[in-house]
Amino acid sequence: MVAETSPHRGAPHGAFLNPAGQMQDHASTASRDFHRLAPPLRNESPVTARIVRAVAAFLSGVGLFLIAFTLIPFQGAFEPDPNSSNDGNIINQLGYLGFGCIYLFAMLLAVDMRILKRIISPTWVVIFAVAFFSCLQSYDPTASARGLMLSLVAMILVAGVLVLPRSEKDFVNAGANAILFLILVDYAAVALAPNIAIHTATGSEPWHAGFWKGHLIHKNVTAPVFSVLCMFGIYCLRAGATVRGLLIALLAANFVLHTGSKTTIGFLPLAIMLVLGGRAVGKPGLMVLAHFLFAILIFCLTLGTIYSDTFLAITKVLLEDPTFTGRDDIWKFASASIPDHLWLGHGYASFWLSPVIRGLEANFEASWDVRGIVSGHNSYLDAVLTFGLPGGLAIITLLFVKPFYDYMRATRQPASRHFADFCIMVIIFMTYNSMMESFLLNRVDPMWLLMALAVFGLGLAARMGVRMPH
């Protein structure tokens, strides 16, 4: 193991996620760092090194802010757009393309090429290969591919957030500043401009009046996003940014409570307790087992109710609303539509709000008119509906099952544990949230990008480890 390069020889060029095999074991001595085996790519003066490091960390924080805040915040009342399945938003298209170029250039300039080569993993190659193949099944393949390209470009920001910081300390400090600022902006909007930050009686869903939605379009998006921000606050608290982390966790949790999303309010503490409980008893494997048992139970009591009268009867006993605000009718319609394109799927963004669905006759017995529904409100059902049975199962496995293998690998390295715990906490929460919402590969949806960041980050941590601050 080579000691860290002196300032006179230059600063290390890379990320707080470092190539595997370039790390030494981290015992109880907090002062021990993980260093590179190779010298820096080029000589730098200490001043230049500090500037590059500061800019890299700043870009990481900005990227995390953009992922959660979006480029089009505070849009007002929610109205389903019948053209949203095909037509892109020009602000998102140009904005994310521009930021994608900036972050790609920054990574090429500031990150070790060995790290950049390991960013592209088989997991993400398979996911996007399946998704792009599904575009061929769409009624408008070009429009579907264009929408999927936006999601692919946004992944550049996700990668930049993770690999630009030089140490975990840089990542935590930049992220804590960015997320605390975002939360304060939302609280200011709730206080000063409630008409855009709180659901009102106008629009298509007047029954949501009074629930907080912050900068996002709907409380059902706000609740899971702020849940992830709460988890990030817990991570910051554990990783050294104690005061900011505590503020983020408390303020984000309070925001979730004011969204009125009952399922999210239940899933958030469950995900947190599972991970922290598993860490407390020193048995992450037991936590993984408990999670999958909970996932099966939640699946049976939600989507399972449309297939089994027994599950429906149990759900009726446990819950006041066994229809989950009418989602069961949507699930039944989606489930009945899967066999029509069982093996190849209906295609990316080519089912809900498509001309075929919008041209159906209204079903006045259903709780919701599927002609205006933007998703199936279940990520697993929509994955199979969109990508077909083989493709859907592959994507579900890579996003919701494989990360637990990565987690077990990452936590073998003590330095990686706080970061790995954060990532798996997000994945556990999103596993449960996916029973009620659909967001997989949904362009630049903050739920999808935060989920992608956790999956991507955990994969990198498993293969490369986390670089401790110095």
Side-chain angles (χ1 to χ4, degrees), residues 354-409:
S354 68
V356 173
I357 302 302
R358 284 154 54 194
L360 295 175
E361 293 184 4
N363 180 1
F364 296 103
E365 295 181 0
S367 301
W368 291 92
D369 186 351
V370 296
R371 297 176 301 174
I373 295 297
V374 297
S375 76
H377 291 280
N378 184 288
S379 290
Y380 310 106
L381 202 55
D382 267 354
V384 177
L385 188 69
T386 299
F387 307 115
L389 184 61
L393 291 178
I395 288 178
I396 290 169
T397 301
L398 292 173
L399 292 177
F400 294 103
V401 179
K402 180 182 176 294
F404 289 88
Y405 170 73
D406 292 335
Y407 175 71
M408 298 302 293
R409 291 176 61 199

Side-chain angles (χ1 to χ4, degrees), residues 73-216:
F74 301 111
Q75 296 183 59
F78 171 73
E79 293 291 346
D81 180 5
N83 297 315
S84 65
S85 63
N86 288 308
D87 295 344
N89 182 289
I90 191 65
I91 297 176
N92 279 338
Q93 290 175 347
L94 296 180
Y96 280 97
L97 181 60
F99 280 112
C101 291
I102 291 172
Y103 278 78
L104 181 60
F105 177 75
M107 286 189 286
L108 291 173
L109 186 66
V111 180
D112 193 310
M113 188 57 66
R114 292 167 299 177
I115 295 176
L116 293 181
K117 289 179 180 178
R118 304 193 68 171
I119 287 178
I120 303 175
S121 70
T123 292
W124 292 101
V125 171
V126 171
I127 288 172
F128 277 97
V130 169
F132 274 109
F133 178 77
S134 80
C135 294
L136 298 177
Q137 316 309 317
S138 301
Y139 67 88
D140 189 344
T142 301
S144 293
R146 189 166 57 244
L148 189 57
M149 278 299 300
L150 181 59
S151 183
L152 184 60
V153 169
M155 288 298 295
I156 299 175
L157 267 73
V158 171
V161 167
L162 294 170
V163 304
L164 280 172
R166 297 291 178 84
S167 71
E168 186 175 32
K169 181 179 179 181
D170 288 354
F171 174 70
V172 168
N173 282 334
N177 291 339
I179 296 306
L180 184 57
F181 176 69
L182 181 154
I183 292 175
L184 292 177
V185 167
D186 273 352
Y187 270 93
V190 167
L192 302 176
N195 59 310
I196 61 172
I198 300 177
H199 280 289
T200 65
T202 61
S204 60
E205 298 176 333
W207 51 88
H208 291 325
F211 292 133
W212 292 8
K213 63 188 182 74
H215 65 279
L216 295 166

Side-chain angles (χ1 to χ4, degrees), residues 126-403:
V126 171
I127 288 172
F128 277 97
V130 169
F132 274 109
F133 178 77
S134 80
C135 294
L136 298 177
Q137 316 309 317
S138 301
Y139 67 88
D140 189 344
T142 301
S144 293
R146 189 166 57 244
L148 189 57
M149 278 299 300
L150 181 59
S151 183
L152 184 60
V153 169
M155 288 298 295
I156 299 175
L157 267 73
V158 171
V161 167
L162 294 170
V163 304
L164 280 172
R166 297 291 178 84
S167 71
E168 186 175 32
K169 181 179 179 181
D170 288 354
F171 174 70
V172 168
N173 282 334
N177 291 339
I179 296 306
L180 184 57
F181 176 69
L182 181 154
I183 292 175
L184 292 177
V185 167
D186 273 352
Y187 270 93
V190 167
L192 302 176
N195 59 310
I196 61 172
I198 300 177
H199 280 289
T200 65
T202 61
S204 60
E205 298 176 333
W207 51 88
H208 291 325
F211 292 133
W212 292 8
K213 63 188 182 74
H215 65 279
L216 295 166
I217 192 69
H218 196 279
K219 74 178 188 69
N220 289 343
V221 180
T222 300
V225 167
F226 272 77
S227 294
V228 175
L229 300 188
C230 175
M231 297 172 203
F232 184 74
I234 294 172
Y235 165 56
C236 292
L237 191 158
R238 299 176 71 205
T242 308
V243 176
R244 285 170 295 170
L246 183 60
L247 284 173
I248 290 170
L250 293 177
L251 291 173
N254 182 62
F255 215 98
V256 172
L257 290 174
H258 280 85
T259 64
S261 177
K262 296 177 182 178
T263 51
T264 303
I265 292 170
F267 293 154
L268 173 58
L270 177 58
I272 294 172
M273 287 189 295
L274 276 174
V275 177
L276 296 186
R279 180 61 59 208
V281 300
K283 295 186 179 297
L286 183 62
M287 177 275 291
V288 173
L289 175 61
H291 157 68
F292 280 110
L293 291 177
F294 273 117
I296 293 170
L297 176 62
I298 295 170
F299 179 87
C300 291
L301 298 181
T302 54
L303 188 60
T305 60
I306 70 170
Y307 301 114
S308 167
D309 291 337
T310 301
F311 292 150
L312 178 58
I314 296 173
T315 303
K316 285 180 178 179
V317 172
L318 297 175
L319 300 177
E320 181 181 351
D321 179 16
T323 71
F324 302 97
T325 61
R327 283 178 172 85
D328 60 338
D329 284 332
I330 303 173
W331 297 340
K332 290 174 184 176
F333 177 78
S335 181
S337 301
I338 287 175
D340 297 338
H341 296 77
L342 179 62
W343 300 111
L344 299 179
H346 289 263
Y348 179 80
S350 191
F351 184 77
W352 303 108
L353 295 180
S354 68
V356 173
I357 302 302
R358 284 154 54 194
L360 295 175
E361 293 184 4
N363 180 1
F364 296 103
E365 295 181 0
S367 301
W368 291 92
D369 186 351
V370 296
R371 297 176 301 174
I373 295 297
V374 297
S375 76
H377 291 280
N378 184 288
S379 290
Y380 310 106
L381 202 55
D382 267 354
V384 177
L385 188 69
T386 299
F387 307 115
L389 184 61
L393 291 178
I395 288 178
I396 290 169
T397 301
L398 292 173
L399 292 177
F400 294 103
V401 179
K402 180 182 176 294

Side-chain angles (χ1 to χ4, degrees), residues 401-443:
V401 179
K402 180 182 176 294
F404 289 88
Y405 170 73
D406 292 335
Y407 175 71
M408 298 302 293
R409 291 176 61 199
T411 53
R412 292 172 189 166
Q413 305 168 27
S416 301
R417 286 176 183 169
H418 290 330
F419 179 71
D421 284 348
F422 161 65
C423 291
I424 204 65
M425 198 179 290
V426 173
I427 292 166
I428 288 174
F429 171 79
M430 287 300 187
T431 300
Y432 305 152
N433 184 59
S434 293
M435 307 288 184
M436 296 292 177
E437 302 298 337
S438 183
F439 54 84
L440 300 184
L441 283 96
N442 189 20
R443 296 184 177 90

